[in-house]
Amino acid sequence: MTPKNQPNGPLILTLGIFVLCLIIGYQLSLRRPLWNDEIFSQFTVVDTQSYQDILFFKIKNREGNPCPLFYLIQKAVSDLWQYKFPLDWHYEWAIDEAGSQVIMRLSSNIFMSLSIALLFYFFTHYYSLVAGIYSLLVTLSSFMVWAYWAEARPYALWFFLTTSQLLLFLILLRSKNKETALWKGLMVTHWLLSFTLILSAIQITIISAVLYLYQKEKDWKKYFWLAGVPLGICSFYYFNSMFYGYSLVRPFQLILRNVSWQGLVLFLMYCGFLIGESKKAKSFEGKHFGIVLVLMLVAALAFLFVMSLKQGGPEFASLSERYLIYLTPVSVIAIVLFSLDLVKIYRRSSWMWTNIVITLVGLLLLRFLGAYMEVQGI
Amino acid sequence: MQKSRLSAKTSKPLVTAGLLLLFAYLIVQDFQKIQGKPRYPSASHFVLDQSKVASKAKTLTLNRLLPKSFDYLLSFSQKKEPLNISKFEEYFLYYQKVVEYLPGRADAQGMLGFCGYYLGKTRQAQSALEKAIAINPQFSGFYYNLGVIYFKQGRYAQAVEALKKAAMLPPKAALSYVLSSREIYAPFFIHEKDKVGFLKEQLRETSRQTYILLIQSYLHIKNFPQALVAAKDAIGLDFDEPATFYYDAGLALYGQGNYQGSLPFLKQSVELDTGLADGYYYLGQALKAQGEENLAAQMLRRGKKEHQLHPRPKPEDEIELRIF
């Protein structure tokens, strides 16, 4: 068999994982009744507003986030299935309606499954099968993945676009040539992000700035299309949005739900090794991504600080961890990259290697247990 | 040298064993937590689906108790429908269940207070409104309703305290709160084409009525200087039907014996509302005190005539509790 005819193993595995994730997402959709926020969006925006209304700010008094992409997708899915919310909704708190649960959450299920599969493919293709499997386990041990996998709200889409953005960024950093296709891909992702959520302005700014620092490409016109235009779109929707009051309850918990304490421990450990083994600094491939991670965490803290100044809303409308969901793919990638670095650097010292593997396995198990307890509300 | 090599040899496995033990301990701890299942008091977003209203049964109960329509309650609050006790009982039962399952919901506590008051459960209504304020002290509507209850009970000093807070809170916070309450307040405005416009109008009317009652409460406890300040504030806020605030400002000055000062306000009140019998009456009295007997007699006659021809209740007598 010539290499050309050989089946692409990672791709086949990725497809298998994608299908498996779709099945899991389908089961999750069936298990959870639709809750008020999901029904509200379907009932007041998707079913009743036209594509133009959604695109041109007519939903700003209905939804806190007036960015249209998610609602346009939901409307397209609804049109495709000729679906309209079948019940006369009287503001029930939650509704058990199997068909609606599956259709309304279809796009979220696809986006979350795609994200998981993409992460697996990236690490299998660029590192090894073990790295791919490890990335899969780290992703599945994230509380936020399980919480927003089957929810008819824009968070799974945001998760997917952030994952795509970060992976394209990593590939661009690895590539020594100025690859136009990758650059265009990242630009499209930034545009889509800006049409998904105003808050995506944070990650667009950070990724573009870090890219400018580490990439050979310094043409300002390219950065204008990469960051300037999407930030303009975000501002446009920001000025056409309705600000709801929020209260801030346990702000660090919001970050921890996305990053996990196990992730934080690993990040600190990595920093420690990076400082302690400064001679080997060149071998720490994940350090560029470390800068992204630090900037994203600082931005999240700054966001929480600004919200604490503005807070004044009711307790039930407390700021949710979902507004920081972009931190989950950031932390998953950081955990995997940092772990791979540590394992690689100490491969010749069997004692250190053993300790690092024990620590990584232990942290992963604890992360799974932590996510399970969070999902169960324990 | 040999000693240090030996200690390195023994300490390395010890470190590894220590790491293993530490993780084993942490994992066992987590398993114990899962088996014991103590729960966090609140998980920030799973209002329904996970921890706050834990079981499906509770959700189904709320769905079952949910009134078919909230139109009546809105019409009643807008004085378009008379009091219907059986309908109010249905709403009361629903909100009672909501606060039982979700005691942290200030909006539901507020609505429980609203319905309870009209069912004659004044003490329960008061307690629900106090709970609502304790949970969300930024929403003027709760203070307003509590103030109305105190006023109707003749507890004017307490009414002043509640209404003062209602008047001080920013309308933007109230608008934001009502808009964010998708389960409790949304049914009252969801079908409005211009939701924000509708809510702003409703909240402005609440604010106007807050000032009417606040001034009246001050007048009842004979705190004329503060009544004057509140009346001037209300004039500055440019509410609809401003004659009542000019009248109140005049009355506050009249109460302080400042007859001359009261004249421009009282004149303005009868110019803005030519049927304001009490305005003419106090204008007449103030003129009389100033020695303008003829004009005073004329105004007193006009006041008497208006009173006989177009009797009307005082604005404060028409004020009721409001939804938001």
Side-chain angles (χ1 to χ4, degrees), chain B residues 36-261:
Chain B
K37 286 190 177 176
R39 284 165 192 275
Y40 286 133
S42 71
S44 61
H45 114 278
F46 290 105
V47 177
L48 274 170
D49 133 286
Q50 304 280 330
S51 51
K52 275 202 176 169
V53 179
S55 70
K56 216 169 177 178
K58 283 184 178 175
T59 307
L60 291 175
T61 308
L62 286 181
N63 285 352
R64 188 170 49 77
L65 289 173
L66 188 81
K68 279 188 180 147
S69 159
F70 288 86
D71 293 348
Y72 166 75
L73 215 49
L74 186 65
S75 300
F76 171 80
S77 78
Q78 292 171 337
K79 295 172 188 163
K80 291 175 188 165
E81 295 257 11
L83 179 66
N84 181 330
I85 294 292
S86 69
K87 280 189 178 173
F88 258 90
E89 274 168 350
E90 191 187 348
Y91 294 118
F92 183 80
L93 207 64
Y94 169 64
Y95 292 122
Q96 204 173 27
K97 203 44 101 181
V98 176
V99 301
E100 184 189 323
Y101 292 161
L102 300 165
R105 291 294 300 252
D107 46 1
Q109 296 278 13
M111 287 309 298
L112 184 70
F114 179 90
C115 296
Y117 177 76
Y118 288 106
L119 287 172
K121 302 173 195 275
T122 313
R123 196 175 286 178
Q124 207 174 336
Q126 223 168 289
S127 150
L129 286 165
E130 279 161 4
K131 277 182 198 161
I133 289 169
I135 300 163
N136 178 15
Q138 299 299 316
F139 182 49
S140 50
F142 302 143
Y143 290 106
Y144 167 79
N145 280 347
L146 196 60
V148 174
I149 294 177
Y150 286 142
F151 187 89
K152 287 182 183 272
Q153 289 172 338
R155 295 156 72 182
Y156 301 116
Q158 281 156 298
V160 161
E161 287 312 308
L163 295 164
K164 232 166 47 177
K165 280 183 184 146
M168 272 161 52
L169 287 167
K172 209 176 166 188
L175 179 67
S176 157
Y177 180 65
V178 175
L179 275 171
S180 66
S181 163
R182 290 183 171 176
E183 297 86 0
I184 301 297
Y185 289 141
F188 296 107
F189 62 81
I190 198 81
H191 297 302
E192 294 294 328
K193 272 192 176 172
D194 176 13
K195 293 176 184 51
V196 173
F198 169 78
L199 287 176
K200 277 185 176 167
E201 199 180 293
Q202 293 291 318
L203 292 168
R204 191 158 167 79
E205 182 55 21
T206 307
S207 178
R208 193 181 82 86
Q209 299 196 9
T210 301
Y211 274 97
I212 292 175
L213 271 196
L214 177 61
I215 298 162
Q216 289 308 315
S217 305
Y218 276 131
L219 292 174
H220 274 287
I221 57 174
K222 304 213 181 303
N223 188 341
F224 298 116
Q226 283 305 315
L228 180 63
V229 171
K232 282 184 175 173
D233 284 349
I235 292 168
L237 286 168
D238 206 16
F239 288 120
D240 289 342
E241 301 175 36
T244 181
F245 298 116
Y246 282 98
Y247 166 73
D248 288 339
L251 201 60
L253 286 161
Y254 184 92
Q256 293 177 72
N258 184 351
Y259 305 118
Q260 194 177 358

Side-chain angles (χ1 to χ4, degrees), chain A residues 212-232:
Chain A
Y212 185 80
L213 276 178
Y214 292 108
Q215 251 267 335
K216 285 176 189 166
E217 186 58 75
K218 302 287 179 195
D219 182 1
W220 69 268
K221 278 180 208 154
K222 284 200 171 175
Y223 285 93
F224 171 75
W225 292 108
L226 183 74
V229 175
L231 289 178

Side-chain angles (χ1 to χ4, degrees), chain A residues 67-86:
Chain A
C67 292
L69 187 59
F70 171 74
Y71 305 104
L72 290 174
I73 292 170
Q74 287 297 89
K75 193 157 180 71
V77 170
S78 297
D79 285 350
L80 199 69
W81 292 82
Q82 293 180 322
Y83 169 81
K84 217 173 181 188
F85 194 68

Side-chain angles (χ1 to χ4, degrees), chain B residues 249-284:
Chain B
L251 201 60
L253 286 161
Y254 184 92
Q256 293 177 72
N258 184 351
Y259 305 118
Q260 194 177 358
S262 71
L263 283 174
F265 287 105
L266 292 168
K267 274 182 193 162
Q268 185 71 17
S269 74
V270 293
E271 272 171 29
L272 287 167
D273 181 357
T274 50
L276 190 63
D278 288 348
Y280 289 113
Y281 174 77
Y282 281 102
L283 181 58

